[in-house]
Amino acid sequence: MLEALCYNAVMESVRIKSYAKLNLTLSITGVADGYHTIDSLVTSVDLYDLIVLKKRTDKQVTITMHGCGSEGIPYESNNAVKAAQYFIEAYDTYGADITVYKNIPMGAGLGGSSADSAGVLNGLEKLYGTRDLAGKKLLADRTGSDTRYMLSGGYARLTGRGNEVTPIESDLKLNYLLLAPETEVSSAQCYKTYDEMGGGDGDTQKALSALLNGDREALAKNLCNDLAPAAKQLTKEVVVAFDELASFAPLAVNMTGSGSGVYALFDSPELRAYAKSRYRGKFRTIELKTYIPK
C-alpha cells in the first residue's frame, strides 16, 4: 500500500473536469523495451469530460458512461475503472460510483481515455483526502502513457513513452478548428505502418523555442507529427481532413496523436469562427482554444 498524507475530507461526491490535449509536435525518437519513444510538445484545450464520483461503503467500482459512443466500452477494459481500482488497492480506501459525461471524441488523438483515468485519480484524491503526488503519478503510468501528463495538463514536453513530463510555462493563447472523422485510427496499426514507411523530420525543440518566445507564426511553421503519413495511408478521411482545413489558409494544419483528429491553427478566434461557418464537409467540427490550468 502506498503511503500518503491525509487530511479531513467530509465530501461525499466530487465533480472533475478533465481536459483534452493536442499534440503540437510528435516526433518518434526510437524504440525502447518494445515501445516507441517520442518527443512531443502538447497543450491542453478547452474541451473536457465531466467526471462525477460518489463514495461507496464497500470497495466496489461502478461506472456509467454517457456520450460520444462511450456507452459500449466494456467495463473490464475501461481505463477509468482500472485507475479507480489501482487507487483503492494502493490507499486502502472504499470504492466509488463513477459517471463520465464524455465530450472528448473517442479515437481522435485527443487523449480522452487518459483524461478520464487522470480525472478519476484526481477525483478520488479529493474524495478520500490522500495527498501523494508521486504515488498518484505511478498509478497514472499504469493506465496509459499520457495519463501522468493529464493529471495536471497545460503546456508540456513529453519524452520517453510519453510518461516523462516537463511542464512548460507559457501564456500563449492559440485558436484551433478540429475536424473529427468518425473512422478511428488504431494507434498500434499507425505505429506499425510508421515503422514500415520510416521517416519523419519534425523538430520539437524549434517548436518549443517558438512557444517560449511567444512567436505564433514560428510555432506554426514547426508543428509536426511523424505519424501523419501513416495515418493518411490507413484512412483517406485523414487526407480529406488535411485538405479541407488547408483550403482555409490557416497558419498550419496538423494531426494530433495517432489521429484521426486533424486541426488547423488560426491567427485569431474570428478567423477560426469564419472557417467553421464556411465548412461544408462531412466531419464534426470543434472550435478549440488553449486551456491553461490554474
Side-chain angles (χ1 to χ4, degrees), residues 24-134:
L24 301 179
T25 70
L26 202 169
S27 300
I28 309 300
T29 57
V31 177
D33 300 322
Y35 293 93
H36 289 84
T37 57
I38 66 170
D39 188 7
S40 179
L41 181 61
V42 294
T43 181
S44 298
V45 289
D46 62 337
L47 177 69
Y48 60 85
D49 287 350
L50 178 63
I51 304 171
V52 180
L53 302 98
K54 296 181 180 180
K55 281 184 178 177
R56 291 182 62 91
T57 56
D58 55 28
K59 290 184 175 292
Q60 299 302 307
V61 175
T62 70
I63 192 163
T64 305
M65 307 290 294
H66 297 283
C68 297
S70 62
E71 295 83 358
I73 299 175
Y75 179 90
E76 60 276 5
S77 59
N78 191 316
N79 281 342
V81 172
K82 294 177 182 178
Q85 292 170 336
Y86 296 152
F87 184 96
I88 294 163
E89 177 185 4
Y91 296 111
D92 194 24
T93 67
Y94 289 115
D97 294 319
I98 304 169
T99 304
V100 179
Y101 299 93
K102 284 203 70 66
N103 298 297
I104 304 172
M106 297 194 301
L110 296 167
S113 176
S114 296
D116 294 344
S117 297
V120 165
L121 291 174
N122 285 333
L124 289 173
E125 178 183 57
K126 289 180 178 291
L127 200 61
Y128 285 110
T130 60
R131 283 179 173 170
D132 180 23
L133 180 58

Side-chain angles (χ1 to χ4, degrees), residues 4 10 18 24 64 77 93 147 155 171 209 235 268 270:
V10 296
S18 204
L24 301 179
T64 305
S77 59
T93 67
T147 310
Y155 283 113
D171 293 325
S209 296
T235 172
S268 70
E270 291 78 17

Side-chain angles (χ1 to χ4, degrees), residues 14 39 49 86 93 102 112 195 197 211 265 276-277 281:
V14 295
D39 188 7
D49 287 350
Y86 296 152
T93 67
K102 284 203 70 66
D195 288 338
M197 297 176 65
L211 175 65
L265 172 62
K276 182 179 181 182
S277 72

Side-chain angles (χ1 to χ4, degrees), residues 42 52 99 109 147 182 185 192 205 208 213 230 244 263 284:
V42 294
V52 180
T99 304
T147 310
E182 290 187 5
V185 177
K192 181 176 183 295
Q205 185 56 51
L208 176 56
N213 290 328
E244 289 180 339
Y263 64 90
R284 178 184 176 187

Side-chain angles (χ1 to χ4, degrees), residues 6-294:
C6 295
Y7 57 94
N8 290 330
V10 296
M11 60 184 65
E12 293 298 318
S13 66
V14 295
R15 295 161 64 89
I16 298 290
K17 293 178 180 179
S18 204
Y19 289 83
K21 59 85 179 171
L22 287 181
N23 293 87
L24 301 179
T25 70
L26 202 169
S27 300
I28 309 300
T29 57
V31 177
D33 300 322
Y35 293 93
H36 289 84
T37 57
I38 66 170
D39 188 7
S40 179
L41 181 61
V42 294
T43 181
S44 298
V45 289
D46 62 337
L47 177 69
Y48 60 85
D49 287 350
L50 178 63
I51 304 171
V52 180
L53 302 98
K54 296 181 180 180
K55 281 184 178 177
R56 291 182 62 91
T57 56
D58 55 28
K59 290 184 175 292
Q60 299 302 307
V61 175
T62 70
I63 192 163
T64 305
M65 307 290 294
H66 297 283
C68 297
S70 62
E71 295 83 358
I73 299 175
Y75 179 90
E76 60 276 5
S77 59
N78 191 316
N79 281 342
V81 172
K82 294 177 182 178
Q85 292 170 336
Y86 296 152
F87 184 96
I88 294 163
E89 177 185 4
Y91 296 111
D92 194 24
T93 67
Y94 289 115
D97 294 319
I98 304 169
T99 304
V100 179
Y101 299 93
K102 284 203 70 66
N103 298 297
I104 304 172
M106 297 194 301
L110 296 167
S113 176
S114 296
D116 294 344
S117 297
V120 165
L121 291 174
N122 285 333
L124 289 173
E125 178 183 57
K126 289 180 178 291
L127 200 61
Y128 285 110
T130 60
R131 283 179 173 170
D132 180 23
L133 180 58
K136 188 169 64 170
K137 288 178 178 179
L138 293 176
L139 297 180
D141 290 343
R142 294 175 66 184
T143 70
S145 297
D146 288 340
T147 310
R148 177 181 287 232
Y149 159 70
M150 290 292 197
L151 290 173
S152 55
Y155 283 113
R157 187 175 192 169
L158 309 185
T159 51
R161 290 172 52 190
N163 59 343
E164 298 173 13
V165 182
T166 304
I168 306 298
E169 294 293 330
S170 173
D171 293 325
L172 186 63
K173 299 295 180 67
L174 300 171
N175 301 281
Y176 315 91
L177 181 64
L178 177 88
L179 296 186
E182 290 187 5
T183 301
E184 298 183 13
V185 177
S186 162
S187 294
Q189 188 61 43
C190 195
Y191 276 101
K192 181 176 183 295
T193 303
Y194 165 84
D195 288 338
E196 295 168 352
M197 297 176 65
D201 56 1
D203 192 330
T204 292
Q205 185 56 51
K206 287 183 178 180
L208 176 56
S209 296
L211 175 65
L212 293 175
N213 290 328
D215 190 334
R216 190 177 279 101
E217 292 189 1
L219 176 61
K221 290 178 181 178
N222 287 286
L223 298 189
C224 62
N225 189 326
D226 286 355
L227 295 176
K232 288 179 177 179
Q233 181 165 304
L234 290 170
T235 172
K236 296 303 181 185
E237 289 192 338
V238 174
V239 178
V240 173
F242 265 89
D243 291 344
E244 289 180 339
L245 286 173
S247 70
F248 294 109
L251 293 175
V253 180
N254 196 24
M255 186 180 79
T256 183
S258 58
S260 57
V262 179
Y263 64 90
L265 172 62
F266 288 92
D267 199 36
S268 70
E270 291 78 17
L271 290 172
R272 177 192 61 194
Y274 175 79
K276 182 179 181 182
S277 72
R278 302 292 294 176
Y279 179 68
R280 298 294 181 268
K282 66 178 182 177
F283 302 134
R284 178 184 176 187
T285 60
I286 306 175
E287 291 183 274
L288 301 172
K289 62 183 178 183
T290 304
Y291 174 75
I292 300 176
K294 297 179 181 178

